[in-house]
Amino acid sequence: MTFEEVIGQTDAEQRLLQLEREQRIPHAMLFCGPEGCGKMAVALAFASHLLGDSPMLRKWEHPDLHFSYPTVKLPSMAGDRQPVSDDFAKEWHQMLLEGPYFTMNRWMQAMGAANQQAIITAAESDEIARKLSLKSNQGGYKICIIWLPERMNPASANKLLKLLEEPPQQTVFILVSEAPEQLLETIRSRTQRIELRKIDTPSLEQALVERRGIDGEVAHRLARTANGNWNKALEELDAGNENVQFLDMFIMLMRLAYTRNIHDLKKWSEVVATFGREKQKRMLVYFMRMVRENFMFNFRQPELNYMTKAEENFSTKFARFINEANVIDIAGLMDRAVRDISQNANAKIVFFDMALKMIVLLIRK
């Protein structure tokens, strides 16, 4: 994996290479940035650069490169056993070979997870400590890439903190985070933050043309709609992508709330309650984006909107119902629903409550 394979992010590349040239590579770095911007791609490229050109990196099986990531407990696992990354090493390496741009949903599918929340366990932190206590196999750096460290449970986070306070010799930790604010402040303070921006539209457009063979005009619209998110750009190429279903559920919720159809709102709540919790959270995040897009649609400035054609068609008539009087409260209502679902609240109650409150919010002007 080289930096040439990363889409955009030249600023981050130059900063990392400068740290190496000046021999100032920190023992722990926190890669942050919006979803789909290529944080893992940059992490893999930098790790490959530090470890040198090795055939082992082609399959991500270098003995001095370690990965840690969220896992789930499968029914086949013993009752008192905590899952660790090595339990899913085959699935992880297969996913990396398919490309460094992926989502939590993709990883959950690879693990065969059902209605579960993936976490990094305390047993996993013990495994990291054990592996990094060994000497470097190749005599250089030992690198540990931790994907989504915000999913560490408290015991795991505290054990990682001890490792960061007293890191093994010649070890570099790269934490790749979607939500760094959820990490312990003590962990954040012991890392050097590398902030990645959204992929610039020209780079995204160029990648769609060169890597996917998309026509220039189509690539331009896709790149704008994706708004710096390569994963989203790829999703839009798939006519059956999840966002199509989410748009249908959003339209149904708003229409039923506007007509005050409580009976069918209850049915709607029961349907979305059958989704897995991770999917429910993704749906709510999509809903919040649609609220933002519809609010901005009212300003009649196309450069402010990032919607697909189907989303625009709905917003043409619906946008007027999202205004200064209700936009903040609607977004807050959905944000609280994400929090409640994350805390394992009863999904039927959470979504029905949200649907009933939407009736009141939509009539505000």
Side-chain angles (χ1 to χ4, degrees):
M1 178 84 189
T2 65
F3 279 109
E4 285 73 21
E5 298 173 69
V6 178
I7 303 171
Q9 304 303 348
T10 54
D11 288 346
E13 173 190 349
Q14 293 305 315
R15 181 180 177 189
L16 291 169
L17 294 179
Q18 183 178 356
L19 288 172
E20 185 206 16
R21 284 194 302 270
E22 297 174 355
Q23 298 183 348
R24 294 190 299 109
I25 298 176
H27 75 276
M29 291 177 284
L30 179 61
F31 285 21
C32 308
E35 181 187 346
C37 71
K39 297 181 290 297
M40 179 58 81
V42 174
L44 292 171
F46 189 48
S48 299
H49 178 77
L50 293 179
L51 293 172
D53 186 19
S54 169
M56 292 179 285
L57 287 170
R58 295 170 191 168
K59 293 186 177 181
W60 302 113
E61 295 176 347
H62 194 290
D64 292 326
L65 177 60
H66 308 284
F67 294 101
S68 180
Y69 36 83
T71 57
V72 296
K73 188 167 184 175
L74 298 178
S76 57
M77 296 178 178
D80 58 346
R81 184 174 177 278
Q82 295 183 19
V84 296
S85 294
D86 283 350
D87 292 328
F88 298 93
K90 180 181 178 181
E91 292 83 357
W92 176 259
H93 285 92
Q94 180 58 43
M95 188 172 70
L96 287 183
L97 289 174
E98 293 173 3
Y101 296 86
F102 48 83
T103 63
M104 189 64 199
N105 183 39
R106 170 72 183 83
W107 176 230
M108 294 290 282
Q109 291 175 350
M111 287 191 292
N115 187 15
Q116 301 153 283
Q117 295 201 63
I119 64 169
I120 298 177
T121 63
E124 173 65 15
S125 291
D126 291 336
E127 274 294 291
I128 295 173
R130 182 188 65 79
K131 292 175 181 177
L132 297 180
S133 67
L134 303 174
K135 289 185 178 181
S136 168
N137 185 278
Q138 303 294 307
Y141 286 107
K142 293 179 292 182
I143 299 176
C144 181
I145 297 178
I146 304 177
W147 183 54
L148 304 187
E150 59 269 22
R151 287 180 175 258
M152 292 184 292
N153 63 22
S156 178
N158 285 315
K159 289 185 177 184
L160 177 65
L161 177 60
K162 292 181 180 179
L163 273 177
L164 296 181
E165 289 174 337
E166 300 177 8
Q169 190 175 9
Q170 281 191 295
T171 299
V172 175
F173 290 91
I174 302 178
L175 282 62
V176 181
S177 176
E178 297 280 356
E181 69 281 355
Q182 295 178 13
L183 283 168
L184 293 177
E185 171 58 31
T186 45
I187 289 180
R188 295 201 303 269
S189 66
R190 284 164 175 77
T191 62
Q192 181 165 330
R193 187 162 176 148
I194 306 293
E195 198 76 44
L196 279 73
R197 302 174 182 176
K198 294 186 296 186
I199 302 172
D200 61 283
T201 299
S203 294
L204 206 59
E205 186 176 335
Q206 181 181 355
L208 285 167
V209 173
E210 295 179 353
R211 304 186 185 197
R212 299 289 168 166
I214 306 300
D215 175 78
E217 185 176 346
V218 176
H220 178 70
R221 182 177 180 88
L222 278 174
R224 281 205 77 255
T225 303
N227 193 23
N229 185 335
W230 176 249
N231 293 327
K232 184 179 177 184
L234 296 184
E235 286 175 1
E236 295 301 332
L237 290 176
D238 178 10
N241 74 78
E242 190 176 61
N243 282 354
V244 173
Q245 181 186 25
F246 289 167
L247 176 60
D248 289 341
M249 300 309 292
F250 181 79
I251 293 173
M252 191 182 304
L253 170 64
M254 296 305 168
R255 285 176 174 168
L256 293 174
Y258 179 72
T259 57
R260 305 183 185 186
N261 189 335
I262 295 177
H263 179 267
D264 285 348
L265 280 174
K266 186 174 183 293
K267 287 185 177 180
W268 179 92
S269 304
E270 291 170 350
V271 170
V272 296
T274 64
F275 298 168
R277 291 192 181 272
E278 295 295 338
K279 184 174 181 179
Q280 289 166 357
K281 289 190 287 185
R282 292 194 302 275
M283 183 187 72
L284 287 166
V285 170
Y286 175 85
F287 283 9
M288 286 189 280
R289 183 179 72 81
M290 284 301 296
V291 170
R292 181 264 178 201
E293 294 296 337
N294 276 271
F295 179 67
M296 298 306 293
F297 193 85
N298 292 309
F299 293 94
R300 305 298 176 186
Q301 297 184 38
E303 68 275 10
L304 297 178
N305 276 116
Y306 301 90
M307 291 191 285
T308 64
K309 191 64 178 175
E311 291 168 349
E312 282 185 8
N313 289 340
F314 173 66
S315 297
T316 300
K317 295 182 178 180
F318 175 71
R320 62 192 179 93
F321 294 100
I322 306 296
N323 51 63
E324 292 89 344
N326 62 15
V327 62
I328 293 177
D329 287 336
I330 291 176
L333 176 64
M334 293 175 175
D335 188 55
R336 287 192 296 275
V338 172
R339 180 200 63 196
D340 292 341
I341 292 297
S342 298
Q343 295 175 352
N344 294 318
N346 184 295
K348 287 184 182 179
I349 295 175
V350 171
F351 286 110
F352 191 44
D353 178 70
M354 183 184 78
L356 292 178
K357 288 176 179 175
M358 194 66 66
I359 294 175
V360 178
L361 291 174
L362 280 184
I363 62 177
R364 283 190 189 172
K365 293 183 180 180

